[in-house]
Amino acid sequence: MIAAMERGKSMGIVVKEKQFHLQTGKTSYIMMVNTKGILCHLYYGTQMENVTIGSIQIEKETNVDSLPVECAVFGTGDYRIPTVEVELENGSMANELRYKCYQIIEGKPKINGLPSTYAKEEDKVSTLIITLEDQYADYEADLIYSVFPSYNVITRRIRYRNTGKGNQPIKLHRALSFSLDFDQDNYELLQLSGAWSREKTVYKRPLVPGIQEIDSKRGISSAVQNPFLALLGETASEDMGEVYGFNLVYSGNFAGTVEVDPNHRTRVAMGINPFQFGWELVPGQEFETPEAVLVYSDQGLGEMSRTYHKFYRERLCRGSYQFKERPILINNWEATYFQFTEEKLLEIAKAGKELGMELFVLDDGWFGHRDLDDSSLGDWMVDYRKLPNGLSALADKIDTLGMGFGLWFEPEMISIDSKLYESHPDWCIHVPERAPQSTMHQRNQLILDLSRQDVCEYVIRAVSSILASSKISYVKWDMNRSMTDCGSISLNKRNQREFSHRYMLGLYYILETITSNFPNVLFESCCSGGGRFDPGMLYYMPQTWTSDDTDAVERIKIQYGTSLVYPPVTMSCHVSACPNHQVGRLTSLKTRGDVAMCGNFGYELDATKFTEEEKQQVKAQVVFYKEIRPVIQFGELYRLKSPYDGDGNEAAYCYVNEEKSEAVVFWYQILARPCSRLQRLKLKGLVPQQKYQILGTGVTAYGDELMKLGIERFIENGDFRSEHYVLRAVPM
Ligand code: DGJ
């Protein structure tokens, strides 16, 4: 079988007898099939030209529990976490996968029904599919690797198949997207964890023997754990050392597991959460898993982030706004909440327009009879009490002001107090004969059963008819509760465990249909803030509301954590009122502006209430952001100071455009300290021999001076201070 393996070579993939060598511009990923036919992992790291030595351990090892494998199974000697668990028709759970064949495809095939990164012809992407089979059972696994040479990215996923020889169904209890074995355990695990309004806090901890895991059982990827983890080598920091990043392109229940075994080796596995998961495959059927995006960096977290940022901007996000500068918006949520009139909205929009803002967003409360969060979800019909002239009249008036008009929806939901519930009480997720949870904690609402086609079609119709009815150029797609009572009356008893994934397939179908039918609408995803800030949603919607916490100080940490994986252009960040509504903190308008400008900028307050002085300040902020917008949204991000280091009192960033001719620096200090107030900040990402002018300061200096000596500043006394600088290359 192994001898029959051909010699193959394709751009980025070299196959030599028993070895598969995946090469990006900077990395190598090597696998080999051992004498027993087990596909083993040999290496992932900086690029290697030649691999001639192979591995005696992999060839001779008789104990599978010690082998580094590419797809792990349980029941036949490997006691670590498996990648897949299959229950056969006779109820047995012992699995054994052996190499069968491979195939190389030019380009990257789409995944049926799931979001994924994509390749363009110029990327010269190749895809390797290695098929493994269980000789005692009727199933196979296709291990699918796509190699992006110029992006330094490898994507992985697995397709499981009932080969149907025995004419019996099989049941997947676990069907992860990948697992990867490392031959050492001296790593730190980095994860992005938190809660509502405290999303993506950076946590690092040394690996210890046993299992360490992040996961979601909430039906959304969640604010509690993001579907991302990284292993950091012993010397890894922001700019140095080895980092392995793993990010799942999925928005539902997931698990990212790291296990250190008794031999001090490490296994990383990721995919749909096996908890309460099950999937029946009848003969001939296949199960597609979500894709994982693997990034290796030997220059620390900074390079890992820049790799993810560029890749996601260019090969995950789509649509007419992908490369377009995003409008500066003003949103009425924190200005009015549910209590507004058409007149009030127009006043806010007009005030925003006078200050240079480009888009007015009407948030929650415009439909049904929604005066609180306890009614009307599902009834996507305008509330004439609040908008007596209708939605399209309001949209027209905003258009006449010269602004775009955006609208909030929460299409996956249904309120018990709604017409929709009256006519379709069975459309919500529920367990028959059990009252579904819709307490205050679940925001008094239920979730529609998107595993059902008829419900999905309703959502598409309801949202589309509003979008077609008025001049709407932006949609905020919200989702404000976790799932309970999981199951569907459309599934039979044997298939109830398929529910959570079927919900995701329904949601992705809806998103694909609506976003492609309205290609000129800018979609922003939201899940009580960043509760579904993941690559799955970014595939359909190129920006996400980063957090419901709009306090500038809180946002420094939230945005820093988010920036580890997700590009600044995808992070929506707004200036809100003072005192802040979430934490009551007082911060200056300058600091609030400087924090929000680090991403996709906007305002969320009552702009009619600004004083004259504030108006001048806001006007200047808007003009400034328009100037720096291309660098922030499409440049490269260099993190200079972390709010997670030391006492967490400072943070700083430097954004540099692709030509390295322009840079924007933001520097924050949280609390004033009674020592020297003269500080230096070393920049990154500039051209050492290039001279740069620091605008407005009269200072010019070479890139290497700015990076080695740094820029100087004298900090004024007071808490919550911020500075920004713009650097331009001086023609030489
Ligand atoms: C939660 C969102 O995160 C907020 O920005 C706002 O849109 C509310 N929902 C509206 O209900």
Side-chain angles (χ1 to χ4, degrees):
M1 168 179 59
I2 295 160
M5 246 162 99
E6 294 158 38
R7 268 174 92 87
K9 183 172 169 111
S10 162
M11 183 74 188
I13 299 173
V14 182
V15 184
K16 264 196 219 153
E17 293 170 10
K18 297 160 64 181
Q19 257 183 28
F20 298 91
H21 188 161
L22 316 181
Q23 287 177 320
T24 73
K26 293 187 185 166
T27 61
S28 280
Y29 185 113
I30 305 169
M31 301 161 269
M32 60 181 283
V33 181
N34 78 359
T35 41
K36 285 196 167 150
I38 298 174
L39 181 67
C40 295
H41 182 78
L42 190 56
Y43 175 80
Y44 184 27
T46 49
Q47 209 195 64
M48 272 199 269
E49 258 306 296
N50 304 302
V51 189
T52 54
I53 49 176
S55 163
I56 295 170
Q57 186 227 338
I58 285 175
E59 286 299 3
K60 303 275 183 252
E61 182 62 68
T62 50
N63 181 2
V64 275
D65 202 30
S66 298
L67 275 178
V69 295
E70 280 290 298
C71 183
V73 288
F74 198 81
T76 44
D78 185 343
Y79 295 97
R80 297 162 290 179
I81 35 159
T83 324
V84 54
E85 281 179 278
V86 177
E87 179 187 328
L88 306 175
E89 183 52 21
N90 63 9
S92 69
M93 297 283 293
N95 296 183
E96 203 169 6
L97 282 172
R98 293 289 186 268
Y99 174 81
K100 182 182 176 192
C101 59
Y102 81 93
Q103 185 193 356
I104 295 174
I105 299 171
E106 291 314 318
K108 182 173 189 278
K110 273 188 149 195
I111 316 175
N112 262 342
L114 285 172
S116 63
T117 61
Y118 53 89
K120 292 198 171 164
E121 215 181 308
E122 67 264 27
D123 300 339
K124 309 243 176 307
V125 168
S126 318
T127 298
L128 170 67
I129 305 175
I130 302 177
T131 302
L132 309 180
E133 64 180 347
D134 189 326
Q135 287 163 341
Y136 300 96
D138 296 332
Y139 86 97
E140 290 180 350
D142 292 333
L143 277 54
I144 305 173
Y145 304 79
S146 292
V147 185
F148 287 78
S150 58
Y151 287 95
N152 287 307
V153 165
I154 293 172
T155 61
R156 279 198 62 181
R157 62 188 173 97
I158 302 180
R159 183 166 52 217
Y160 300 98
R161 184 168 40 253
N162 181 337
T163 49
K165 286 175 264 165
N167 249 337
Q168 305 285 359
I170 59 168
K171 202 152 194 185
L172 297 169
H173 286 266
R174 167 191 296 259
L176 298 184
S177 297
F178 81 95
S179 66
L180 179 57
D181 286 355
F182 293 82
D183 58 10
Q184 58 192 65
D185 66 350
N186 47 346
Y187 295 110
E188 273 191 316
L189 169 62
L190 183 151
Q191 63 192 66
L192 300 174
S193 310
W196 170 76
S197 271
R198 194 166 25 84
E199 296 89 340
K200 298 176 197 63
T201 309
V202 180
Y203 289 91
K204 287 185 210 171
R205 51 177 157 149
L207 294 186
V208 292
I211 287 176
Q212 30 254 285
E213 186 168 66
I214 52 164
D215 83 334
S216 168
K217 305 179 193 74
R218 295 165 183 267
I220 48 177
S221 53
S222 92
V224 181
Q225 305 287 358
N226 193 256
F228 168 80
L229 64 87
L231 292 188
L232 316 185
E234 273 178 333
T235 56
S237 62
E238 179 66 17
D239 300 302
M240 285 182 337
E242 290 198 301
V243 177
Y244 295 90
F246 306 96
N247 196 196
L248 196 68
V249 187
Y250 194 58
S251 317
N253 293 342
F254 75 93
T257 316
V258 181
E259 180 169 10
V260 173
D261 72 15
N263 302 312
H264 298 288
R265 298 199 182 99
T266 305
R267 173 169 295 167
V268 177
M270 229 173 179
I272 294 173
N273 199 339
F275 179 80
Q276 294 199 351
F277 166 83
W279 200 273
E280 191 179 57
L281 281 182
V282 298
Q285 262 183 352
E286 296 183 327
F287 182 74
E288 300 272 18
T289 62
E291 125 180 322
V293 180
L294 278 57
V295 170
Y296 167 80
S297 154
D298 63 351
Q299 285 164 52
L301 283 165
E303 183 173 272
M304 178 203 75
S305 301
R306 285 186 291 280
T307 304
Y308 275 116
H309 292 178
K310 189 170 164 60
F311 188 56
Y312 285 172
R313 278 196 318 260
E314 297 179 3
R315 296 297 181 262
L316 173 68
C317 293
R318 304 175 299 165
S320 58
Y321 275 89
Q322 183 180 7
F323 299 112
K324 243 196 233 165
E325 289 179 30
R326 309 293 164 77
I328 299 176
L329 64 81
I330 176 149
N331 177 306
N332 76 310
W333 178 241
E334 288 199 15
T336 65
Y337 294 102
F338 296 103
Q339 276 70 52
F340 54 81
T341 57
E342 183 190 272
E343 205 186 346
K344 180 70 197 170
L345 298 178
L346 285 168
E347 279 170 16
I348 297 176
K350 210 164 153 236
K353 172 68 188 171
E354 278 161 13
L355 299 171
M357 297 166 204
E358 299 158 318
L359 173 76
F360 172 77
V361 178
L362 171 53
D363 211 283
D364 196 354
W366 58 268
F367 51 92
H369 55 276
R370 189 158 162 94
D371 297 327
L372 266 180
D373 64 11
D374 58 359
S375 83
S376 308
L377 293 167
D379 295 348
W380 301 109
M381 278 132 350
V382 70
D383 180 352
Y384 285 97
R385 295 172 312 156
K386 292 182 191 170
L387 303 175
N389 302 307
L391 200 58
S392 63
L394 174 65
D396 288 346
K397 287 176 192 162
I398 302 280
D399 182 59
T400 313
L401 286 178
M403 294 178 102
F405 176 62
L407 198 59
W408 179 97
F409 288 90
E410 198 179 354
E412 297 158 67
M413 296 296 150
I414 178 167
S415 301
I416 292 180
D417 177 4
S418 70
K419 292 205 167 70
L420 187 66
Y421 192 82
E422 263 172 40
S423 36
H424 297 288
D426 64 322
W427 276 14
C428 65
I429 299 176
H430 69 285
V431 178
E433 268 100 65
R434 185 191 289 269
Q437 305 293 316
S438 73
T439 59
M440 248 172 69
H441 182 65
Q442 278 91 18
R443 222 187 181 214
N444 307 304
Q445 61 199 50
L446 298 172
I447 309 181
L448 287 168
D449 178 356
L450 300 189
S451 72
R452 289 174 59 167
Q453 187 70 27
D454 53 348
V455 179
C456 291
E457 297 305 337
Y458 167 77
V459 172
I460 292 171
R461 269 197 317 276
V463 175
S464 303
S465 87
I466 292 285
L467 293 187
S469 74
S470 309
K471 283 190 189 130
I472 294 169
S473 58
Y474 161 105
V475 164
K476 178 172 172 187
W477 186 291
D478 207 348
M479 195 301 181
N480 285 307
R481 61 158 290 187
S482 299
M483 284 182 195
T484 54
D485 310 286
C486 289
S488 174
I489 53 169
S490 68
L491 295 169
N492 63 36
K493 190 177 154 196
R494 283 197 328 275
N495 304 102
Q496 288 296 328
R497 281 169 176 254
E498 298 175 7
F499 172 75
S500 300
H501 183 59
R502 288 194 182 277
Y503 178 94
M504 291 316 303
L505 294 176
L507 173 64
Y508 289 145
Y509 163 71
I510 292 171
L511 296 180
E512 181 67 38
T513 310
I514 294 182
T515 55
S516 40
N517 287 348
F518 295 91
N520 297 320
V521 172
L522 171 60
F523 286 87
E524 173 164 325
S525 121
C526 173
C527 182
S528 309
R532 222 165 37 181
F533 201 142
D534 57 59
M537 293 308 284
L538 287 178
Y539 178 72
Y540 303 99
M541 307 195 176
Q543 58 191 61
T544 302
W545 177 226
T546 310
S547 176
D548 271 357
D549 193 338
T550 56
D551 170 63
V553 175
E554 293 286 304
R555 273 289 186 127
I556 291 175
K557 278 192 158 178
I558 294 170
Q559 292 172 195
Y560 191 98
T562 307
S563 83
L564 282 189
V565 192
Y566 305 106
V569 68
T570 65
M571 296 196 288
S572 289
C573 309
H574 299 169
V575 173
S576 64
C578 186
N580 174 266
H581 291 194
Q582 290 78 41
V583 296
R585 190 176 279 126
L586 304 177
T587 51
S588 68
L589 190 50
K590 170 164 173 51
T591 300
R592 279 177 277 153
D594 281 350
V595 172
M597 283 191 220
C598 278
N600 205 322
F601 188 54
Y603 290 80
E604 182 157 339
L605 38 65
D606 188 346
T608 64
K609 293 196 173 142
F610 282 135
T611 62
E612 268 318 304
E613 195 191 332
E614 285 171 332
K615 277 189 197 163
Q616 295 317 315
Q617 246 185 304
V618 170
K619 237 184 205 168
Q621 283 181 340
V622 169
V623 168
F624 178 63
Y625 188 74
K626 286 178 183 168
E627 269 166 38
I628 62 169
R629 178 159 54 184
V631 185
I632 301 287
Q633 298 192 350
F634 301 105
E636 296 214 301
L637 173 66
Y638 292 84
R639 287 180 297 257
L640 308 178
K641 280 179 184 275
S642 167
Y644 293 95
D645 284 350
D647 60 3
N649 203 39
E650 277 184 276
Y653 303 103
C654 181
Y655 297 76
V656 185
N657 67 352
E658 216 171 333
E659 303 76 39
K660 295 198 178 282
S661 59
E662 195 167 329
V664 182
V665 177
F666 286 101
W667 190 357
Y668 312 101
Q669 177 179 284
I670 296 168
L671 294 181
R673 292 277 152 82
C675 50
S676 162
R677 287 190 275 132
L678 183 66
Q679 286 194 358
R680 267 206 187 127
L681 181 67
K682 293 176 186 165
L683 307 189
K684 296 176 191 168
L686 306 177
V687 180
Q689 311 78 10
Q690 173 65 54
K691 224 175 194 179
Y692 293 89
Q693 184 187 6
I694 308 178
L695 301 191
T697 65
V699 175
T700 45
Y702 284 99
D704 72 339
E705 298 176 79
L706 294 165
M707 293 192 288
K708 289 176 185 156
L709 252 172
I711 51 175
E712 280 188 337
R713 69 163 186 174
F714 184 79
I715 313 160
E716 302 255 336
N717 242 335
D719 294 337
F720 321 130
R721 295 280 174 184
S722 68
E723 305 278 340
H724 61 240
Y725 308 90
V726 177
L727 284 82
R728 272 220 187 105
V730 179
M732 299 208 307

